[in-house]
Amino acid sequence: MKTLSLTRPDDFHLHVRDGALLTMVIAHSAKQFARAMIMPNLKPPIVTVQQAECYHQEILTALPPEATFKPLMSLYLTEATSIDEIKKAAHSDVVYAFKLYPAGATTHSDLGVKNITSIYPLFAEMEKQDIPLLIHGEVTDEKYDIFDRERVFIERYLVDVHQQFPALRIVLEHLTTAEAVQFVSAASSQVAATITPQHLLYNRNALFSGGIRPHYYCLPILKREEHRLALVNAATSGNPKFFLGTDSAPHTQTMKENTCGCAGCYSAFGALELYAEAFERAEALDKLEGFASFYGADFYHLPRNTDTITLVKSAWQVPDNYGNNEINIVPLAAGSTLQWRQS
Ligand code: DOR
Ligand code: ZN
């Protein structure tokens, strides 16, 4: 049987929620990844180092007993974040980054930032402390078409932030457009990006294939095929600016299949298998290890992992759901066949 061994990967963009949902999903990520950058958009959000320490402990408690998974915490930026909190975060051994959500951009972003220039003093301090800024890069103004919001964000805000704070390490999260690939490629080595499995595997037709498909709805939304191809090229190029971040974002089936369904795709059940599918289709499986296991760690100045995981080429069908008596989650790619499986 064909096998593929990789240095154990890290997931640099992950939502694990809290409570019963956390307990249900965390084992999936811990089985594949050594570490993950944990998103802070809980309700209420994680805005202080102290809250991040509590949440970190909650995640460790929810892990299966044998797991060695390390959560890397991020803090949710608001207009009320203090310079002092940035200094504390920079000296903390659980917090690794700040996350910028433009207010209203996505799930639980209502307490995010309304006026980006008003937090420039915070960016200056983050630059000084050398703590990375992670960005959900979409404008929120309804006057912009939902398919243009990433491009407009880059033009209106990101270009200026990078220019004003050239030493600030920035990760543009979950890229979805050719323009974002272009921006990140052309920027200095302080700028990098994560790419999700859904944006590599699907274009926006997946949202409307034979009817409306809420389990393919995430933000930023899936784009046209030409954008998907640009993302596949970036991910498989061997350029260390592009690395793995699943944005696995579990919502219960009822919250997704709803008159106002939540944004988010659940991919942690088989994240590496989904990426392997995309890389194999691009005939670039040899580029998967750099993308999944090296470039993110290097960007964050973390040691590369030393153990390995193995995928075997053995087709399997993604289940229709994952869950227990309490919770039911429909995974990304439910019912479809994947070629690789973690052994
Ligand atoms: O689709 C998404 N879901 N995009 C995000 O930015 C947030 C995430 C979530 O937390 O559900
Ligand atoms: Zn996210």
Side-chain angles (χ1 to χ4, degrees), residues 76-79 100-103 109 111-116 118-119:
Y76 187 111
L77 269 176
T78 76
E79 277 158 40
L100 167 63
Y101 288 102
S109 64
L111 295 173
V113 174
K114 292 198 176 79
N115 178 356
I116 292 179
S118 77
I119 61 161

Side-chain angles (χ1 to χ4, degrees), residues 21-170:
L21 201 47
L22 164 64
T23 306
M24 215 213 95
V25 300
I26 194 68
H28 282 158
S29 293
K31 182 169 180 241
Q32 304 206 312
F33 296 104
R35 300 169 289 207
M37 184 62 67
I38 306 296
M39 291 298 124
N41 62 332
L42 297 190
K43 224 173 164 80
I46 305 298
V47 296
T48 65
V49 171
Q50 203 182 3
Q51 288 168 335
E53 283 166 353
C54 291
Y55 186 29
H56 180 255
Q57 192 51 53
E58 189 185 344
I59 297 169
L60 294 183
T61 307
L63 281 169
E66 71 285 3
T68 56
F69 179 80
K70 183 173 157 82
L72 310 169
M73 309 310 290
S74 63
L75 295 187
Y76 187 111
L77 269 176
T78 76
E79 277 158 40
T81 300
S82 67
I83 298 280
D84 193 46
E85 206 60 49
I86 292 171
K87 289 185 181 145
K88 273 193 204 148
H91 294 107
S92 151
D93 52 10
V94 301
V95 176
Y96 288 81
F98 279 87
K99 176 75 186 276
L100 167 63
Y101 288 102
T106 187
T107 309
H108 302 161
S109 64
D110 33 315
L111 295 173
V113 174
K114 292 198 176 79
N115 178 356
I116 292 179
T117 49
S118 77
I119 61 161
Y120 273 21
L122 302 181
F123 295 161
E125 187 63 27
M126 292 171 58
E127 181 181 46
K128 191 167 148 201
Q129 300 290 340
D130 195 21
I131 185 162
L133 170 66
L134 319 184
I135 301 184
H136 182 113
E138 288 192 287
V139 289
T140 54
D141 194 328
E142 286 283 321
K143 82 172 183 226
Y144 294 110
D145 190 281
I146 189 168
F147 294 99
D148 295 334
R149 288 179 192 172
E150 183 176 87
R151 177 179 57 74
V152 176
F153 182 90
I154 293 167
E155 290 163 6
R156 283 196 34 192
Y157 299 108
L158 195 50
V159 167
D160 192 59
V161 172
H162 181 42
Q163 227 163 53
Q164 304 282 335
F165 307 98
L168 175 62
R169 277 185 288 157
I170 294 174

